[in-house]
Amino acid sequence: MLFAQEVNATSEDANEALLDLATALRQPEHAAPAPQAVQRAKPVPAPLRRAAGSSAMREELQRRSADYRAFQLKLNEAREERIRKTMADVRASLKAAAQATRPLH
C-alpha cells in the first residue's frame, strides 16, 4: 500500500517523505541499545540413571547394529562383484573391437 502511495505521490510529497525518513533515522532514540553481558549459570549435567532393562536393550541394539553391518557388507560385496563383471565385459568388448579393426597382413 505504501509503495502505491509513493508511486502516485507528487515529487514534492516524495521528497517530504524522504526527508521525514532521514530525520527519523538520525534521531538517537532509534539507535540500537548497547549489548549487555548476560551472566549464565553453567549447565549441570543430569545424573545418569540406568533403566531397569538396560542390559536387554543394549543387547538388542548391539544385535541390530551387527545385523545392519553384516547387511551393508553383503551389499558392498554384491556391488563390487557387479563392478568387476561390468569392467570385465567392457575390457572384453574393447579387446574384440580392437581385434576387429586391426588390419590383416
Side-chain angles (χ1 to χ4, degrees):
M1 181 75 174
L2 183 61
F3 176 74
Q5 289 173 349
E6 289 177 3
V7 170
N8 293 329
T10 63
S11 63
E12 191 173 300
D13 292 337
N15 287 338
E16 184 178 318
L18 284 175
L19 288 175
D20 289 342
L21 177 64
T23 305
L25 290 176
R26 276 193 229 121
Q27 304 267 340
E29 64 192 26
H30 292 287
Q36 297 176 350
V38 177
Q39 295 291 332
R40 294 185 183 175
K42 290 185 178 180
V44 177
L48 297 176
R49 290 182 286 154
R50 298 195 96 161
S54 65
S55 64
M57 287 175 24
R58 184 181 314 115
E59 289 172 2
E60 175 71 12
L61 286 173
Q62 287 174 343
R63 183 189 62 77
R64 286 182 180 214
S65 63
D67 290 346
Y68 179 75
R69 273 188 239 113
F71 181 70
Q72 289 297 312
L73 289 173
K74 182 179 173 184
L75 287 178
N76 287 342
E77 289 171 3
R79 182 175 55 243
E80 290 295 324
E81 182 59 34
R82 283 193 312 273
I83 290 171
R84 279 192 293 273
K85 183 183 177 308
T86 301
M87 291 307 295
D89 292 345
V90 168
R91 288 184 190 105
S93 66
L94 288 174
K95 186 182 267 188
Q99 288 176 354
T101 59
R102 188 178 298 165
L104 298 174
H105 290 96

